[in-house]
């Protein structure tokens, strides 16, 4: 077979490449600086590590390549329930460093949208924030009923 490529420069099916079976030896310092089996990367974090991101939220490492928001983790441990994907955990007093279980509340993303849009959270009192959450829950229910009536 004399012509082993087509007009586009691609290999023809069944052709053996010129370097098949040849060993590649890296040049320069690349061989000595390659990652070696068994070494731990310098930024490795063990399971259970809590890190703070630049936005102030904390994450906990649950397993290799699996991180979770720390407030979500604390809420699930305190309430012995798994949160749904459309739920978030809210700090009632607005302080991201207060992980007391009575300061954390699970709400839906729809409710969070209303809370943020209408500024129903206060940093003064967690009781007022709970009232704001109740108002948001009520508005979500009203909107759901309106949608149901509209679709029927």
């Amino acid at each position: 077979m004399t012509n082993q490529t087509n007009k586009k420069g691609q290999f023809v099916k069944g052709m053996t490449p010129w370097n098949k079976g040849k060993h590649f030896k890296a040049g320069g310092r690349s061989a000595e600086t390659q990652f070696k089996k068994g070494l731990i990367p310098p930024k490795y974090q063990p399971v259970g590590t809590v890190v703070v991101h630049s936005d102030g939220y904390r994450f906990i490492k649950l397993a290799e390549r699996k991180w979770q928001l720390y407030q979500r983790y604390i809420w699930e441990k305190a309430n012995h329930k798994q949160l749904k994907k459309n739920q978030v955990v809210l700090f009632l007093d607005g302080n991201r460093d207060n992980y007391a279980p009575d300061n954390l509340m699970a709400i839906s993303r729809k409710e969070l949208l209303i809370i943020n849009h209408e500024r129903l959270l206060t940093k003064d009192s967690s009781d007022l924030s709970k009232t704001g959450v109740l108002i948001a829950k009520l508005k979500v229910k009203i909107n759901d009923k309106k949608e149901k009536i509209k679709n029927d």
Side-chain angles (χ1 to χ4, degrees):
M1 188 178 197
T2 56
N3 186 9
Q4 294 187 345
T5 60
N6 63 12
K7 292 181 180 179
K8 294 181 182 177
Q10 298 169 333
F11 289 114
V12 176
K13 189 175 182 179
M15 182 199 147
T16 52
W18 65 271
N19 59 352
K20 182 179 181 183
K22 294 187 178 184
H23 183 66
F24 173 74
K25 183 169 179 165
R29 291 192 57 222
S30 63
E32 67 186 76
T33 59
Q34 286 178 345
F35 185 78
K36 290 163 184 65
K37 192 174 184 178
L39 289 179
I40 297 173
K43 292 188 177 184
Y44 174 77
Q45 302 282 347
V47 174
T49 302
V50 178
V51 296
V52 181
H53 284 210
S54 60
D55 58 0
Y57 286 103
R58 295 174 194 261
F59 286 81
I60 185 168
K61 186 172 185 178
L62 301 176
E64 293 303 319
R65 298 187 190 108
K66 185 174 181 187
W67 293 82
Q68 185 180 38
L69 277 165
Y70 192 59
Q71 68 262 25
R72 191 175 181 101
Y73 174 79
I74 295 290
W75 189 92
E76 288 177 352
K77 287 289 182 191
N79 295 296
H80 307 292
K81 293 183 195 172
Q82 282 289 105
L83 288 173
K84 297 175 187 167
K85 288 196 179 217
N86 70 336
Q87 288 182 307
V88 295
V89 176
L90 183 72
F91 293 100
L92 291 173
D93 65 356
N95 182 3
R96 292 181 187 164
D97 295 327
N98 186 359
Y99 291 98
D102 59 330
N103 185 46
L104 301 175
M105 181 180 264
I107 60 171
S108 72
R109 291 191 182 272
K110 284 182 180 181
E111 294 162 358
L112 182 65
L113 183 132
I114 292 171
I115 288 168
N116 288 334
H117 184 262
E118 299 189 12
R119 298 183 180 145
L120 296 175
L121 278 185
T122 61
K123 295 183 189 236
D124 301 333
S125 169
S126 63
D127 291 333
L128 287 175
S129 294
K130 286 179 185 176
T131 306
V133 170
L134 291 175
I135 291 169
K137 286 181 185 282
L138 183 64
K139 288 192 175 207
V140 167
K141 289 283 185 188
I142 291 170
N143 288 339
D144 289 345
K145 290 285 184 184
K146 283 181 183 178
E147 281 294 318
K148 188 176 180 184
I149 291 169
K150 183 179 172 184
N151 291 334
D152 287 341

